Amino acid sequence: MRLATIITPDGPRAAMQVGRAFMDLNYTDPNLPANVRAFLELGADGIARAQDAMGRRTAAFVALEEVVLAPPVTDPKKIIGIGRNYAAHAAEAGVEPPKEPVIFAKFNTTLNGHDKPVPLPPPEVSTQVDYEAELVIVVGKAGRFIKKADAYKHIAGYSCGNDVS
């Protein structure tokens, strides 16, 4: 199942990709949440309900060509970044790779939708901006002290990201 947040006249909405369209989950079934994070919290029950809703006559679809995408999860509880986690990037920065990955936080105010302009600081604040393509792992199931072998059970999906600083 491919999930996204799409921009609709009613605001950002959780949507499920169906072929070359996205189905607005909450419009189709008002008992389903309007945002992806809340939908993921439903777990397997949410997935079953979304698949059931897909066959309804009232299902609301937006063609892929007309979709405006927001960040996949617009209101994450946490955004954790892992820095300098590969040798080539450390070499590019002129530093030794760390023995342990550098962990840092980002705020959800830094999220931006697909194909949206990235706001840059004015020249008097910064004249050099760094950017990196990132693999985004969306965690959909909470946990603590998770065994390495069970980590995949907590992953809801993957997306692409662009870390600009």
Side-chain angles (χ1 to χ4, degrees), residues 15-38:
M16 177 176 75
Q17 187 172 5
V18 180
R20 295 197 46 81
F22 282 89
M23 179 180 72
D24 181 332
L25 294 170
N26 179 256
Y27 187 93
T28 300
D29 180 350
N31 293 315
L32 287 172
N35 74 57
V36 171
R37 184 176 55 81

Side-chain angles (χ1 to χ4, degrees), residues 59-77:
F61 292 95
V62 179
L64 183 64
E65 297 78 20
E66 298 172 18
V67 155
V68 176
L69 294 170
V73 178
T74 58
D75 61 340
K77 290 184 178 180

Side-chain angles (χ1 to χ4, degrees), residues 8-141:
T8 74
D10 296 319
R13 302 294 284 256
M16 177 176 75
Q17 187 172 5
V18 180
R20 295 197 46 81
F22 282 89
M23 179 180 72
D24 181 332
L25 294 170
N26 179 256
Y27 187 93
T28 300
D29 180 350
N31 293 315
L32 287 172
N35 74 57
V36 171
R37 184 176 55 81
F39 177 78
L40 291 173
E41 289 173 356
L42 295 176
D45 180 55
I47 293 169
R49 288 169 48 195
Q51 290 172 332
D52 177 58
M54 187 172 44
R56 295 183 183 178
R57 289 181 314 139
T58 57
F61 292 95
V62 179
L64 183 64
E65 297 78 20
E66 298 172 18
V67 155
V68 176
L69 294 170
V73 178
T74 58
D75 61 340
K77 290 184 178 180
K78 294 179 190 172
I79 303 173
I80 300 170
I82 308 296
R84 289 190 280 158
N85 54 333
Y86 57 98
H89 180 54
E92 177 185 74
V95 296
E96 290 292 318
K99 293 194 184 327
E100 298 290 329
V102 176
I103 298 174
F104 59 93
K106 292 283 234 184
F107 298 96
N108 62 5
T109 55
T110 64
L111 297 173
N112 204 350
H114 176 70
D115 276 344
K116 298 294 180 218
V118 175
L120 299 176
E124 59 272 10
V125 173
S126 177
T127 58
Q128 184 174 354
V129 177
D130 189 28
Y131 59 93
E132 297 176 86
E134 301 288 353
L135 169 65
V136 176
I137 301 172
V138 178
V139 177
K141 179 181 173 186

